[in-house]
Amino acid sequence: MIFFISDLHLSPRSPGATRLFLSFLAGRARQAEALYILGDLFEVWVGDDIDDPYAAQITAALRAASDAGLKICFMHGNRDFAIGEQFTAAAGMTLLPDPYLLVLPEWSFVLSHGDALCIDDHAYMAYRAKVRDPEWQRKMRAKPRFLRSLLGRYIRWRSARRKRDHAYVYADLNGPATDDFLRDHGYCTFIHGHTHRPEKHDHIVDGIHVERWVLSDWHEERAEALLWDGETLSREAIL
């Protein structure tokens, strides 16, 4: 049994989602073989060395689940792109590249946060290119911690303003680019997050039927994981 989740956007401002995640890690998740977190675990992350009691709480919960035998794999999102090896090691997680091909005895999946295929949102793609640039990240991590904390506040404020001022909805994946992605990855079942539009899409690429599963974002009173039971994928509510 394997769980897939993404877009939790955890922060001290989301106590409900935090409670759901901590309960999930301490309970249901431990019945699985592995947990794949496909980006945006946190609302914002500006360095592994930020002294943050909230992050320490999440780190400890992840580590406890890992020590109990749960394999936890993490992939960067657009909010937690600065998570590094210091945090993943402390949390007992394995850091994955994006995309990542998950080959199981019974099926194969290609995993991604999903934002790289939202190419129609030009402003977002420009932002993504900047913050994913290794040199930009090196310079950002070299700044004093208080400046990086201010950067995190700015990212949250900018996102909130964009949603408020423009009735913002997350851009969806570009159709032709997605078909090319599926073709390039051997027509594997595609699992991703980012768009906050949980759905199962059926693609026909070169005459081959390929499923694309979009993970749900988490809310204060409800959350969801995608479950692979060895035969089928299904959605499971996190209570």
Side-chain angles (χ1 to χ4, degrees), residues 194-214:
H194 180 66
T195 65
H196 297 197
R197 299 177 184 180
E199 186 62 80
K200 181 178 81 71
H201 299 272
D202 296 295
H203 293 255
I204 304 298
V205 184
D206 303 329
I208 300 172
H209 172 233
V210 186
E211 291 184 353
R212 174 168 66 93
W213 289 76
V214 186

Side-chain angles (χ1 to χ4, degrees), residues 25-26 30 57-70 72 90-92:
L25 284 180
R30 298 195 188 189
Q57 178 188 27
I58 302 299
T59 304
L62 287 163
R63 185 78 212 193
S66 175
D67 288 346
L70 178 65
I72 307 176

Side-chain angles (χ1 to χ4, degrees), residues 55-103:
Q57 178 188 27
I58 302 299
T59 304
L62 287 163
R63 185 78 212 193
S66 175
D67 288 346
L70 178 65
K71 177 183 177 182
I72 307 176
C73 298
F74 170 79
M75 178 180 292
H76 289 123
N78 53 293
R79 295 300 189 89
D80 48 20
F81 55 84
I83 282 179
E85 294 181 358
Q86 179 180 331
F87 171 75
T88 54
M93 301 195 300
T94 299
L95 185 60
L96 300 179
D98 184 355
Y100 177 76
L101 190 61
L102 174 61
V103 179

Side-chain angles (χ1 to χ4, degrees), residues 6-237:
S6 73
D7 300 283
L8 287 72
H9 293 271
L10 297 179
S11 82
R13 298 171 180 80
S14 59
T18 301
R19 177 188 60 79
L20 289 170
F21 184 57
L22 295 176
S23 176
F24 177 61
L25 284 180
R28 176 62 169 153
R30 298 195 188 189
Q31 299 174 17
E33 168 189 339
L35 169 65
Y36 287 82
I37 305 172
L38 303 187
D40 286 357
L41 172 62
F42 293 102
E43 174 67 5
V44 68
W45 188 270
V46 291
D48 291 359
D49 62 333
I50 298 295
D51 185 13
D52 183 346
Y54 177 83
Q57 178 188 27
I58 302 299
T59 304
L62 287 163
R63 185 78 212 193
S66 175
D67 288 346
L70 178 65
K71 177 183 177 182
I72 307 176
C73 298
F74 170 79
M75 178 180 292
H76 289 123
N78 53 293
R79 295 300 189 89
D80 48 20
F81 55 84
I83 282 179
E85 294 181 358
Q86 179 180 331
F87 171 75
T88 54
M93 301 195 300
T94 299
L95 185 60
L96 300 179
D98 184 355
Y100 177 76
L101 190 61
L102 174 61
V103 179
L104 303 174
E106 60 276 357
W107 204 252
S108 294
F109 303 93
V110 59
L111 312 179
S112 175
H113 183 57
D115 59 332
L117 292 170
C118 296
I119 60 176
D120 297 319
D121 187 341
H122 302 293
Y124 173 76
M125 294 307 290
Y127 161 82
R128 185 183 190 278
K130 180 177 73 172
V131 300
R132 294 297 186 104
D133 178 68
E135 180 62 16
W136 184 90
Q137 289 195 17
R138 185 191 66 78
K139 292 179 179 178
M140 185 272 291
R141 289 189 174 98
K143 294 182 183 299
R145 285 185 291 183
F146 82 91
L147 287 179
R148 282 180 281 134
S149 295
L150 291 176
L151 172 63
R153 294 182 184 179
Y154 170 74
I155 290 173
R156 288 194 298 266
W157 172 81
R158 183 176 178 272
S159 175
R161 187 186 68 172
R162 188 179 188 188
K163 294 175 185 177
R164 181 181 65 248
D165 294 347
H166 302 286
Y168 179 73
V169 294
Y170 285 85
D172 208 350
L173 278 62
N174 176 273
T178 300
D179 286 350
D180 286 342
F181 178 88
L182 297 174
R183 182 179 294 112
D184 292 342
H185 291 87
Y187 312 99
C188 292
T189 298
F190 183 18
I191 300 174
H192 71 87
H194 180 66
T195 65
H196 297 197
R197 299 177 184 180
E199 186 62 80
K200 181 178 81 71
H201 299 272
D202 296 295
H203 293 255
I204 304 298
V205 184
D206 303 329
I208 300 172
H209 172 233
V210 186
E211 291 184 353
R212 174 168 66 93
W213 289 76
V214 186
L215 300 173
S216 174
D217 54 324
W218 285 39
H219 300 266
E220 286 296 270
E221 298 180 354
R222 58 183 174 86
E224 183 182 277
L226 187 64
L227 169 65
W228 171 251
D229 65 5
E231 295 182 357
T232 60
L233 289 167
S234 61
R235 298 183 186 274
E236 181 172 310

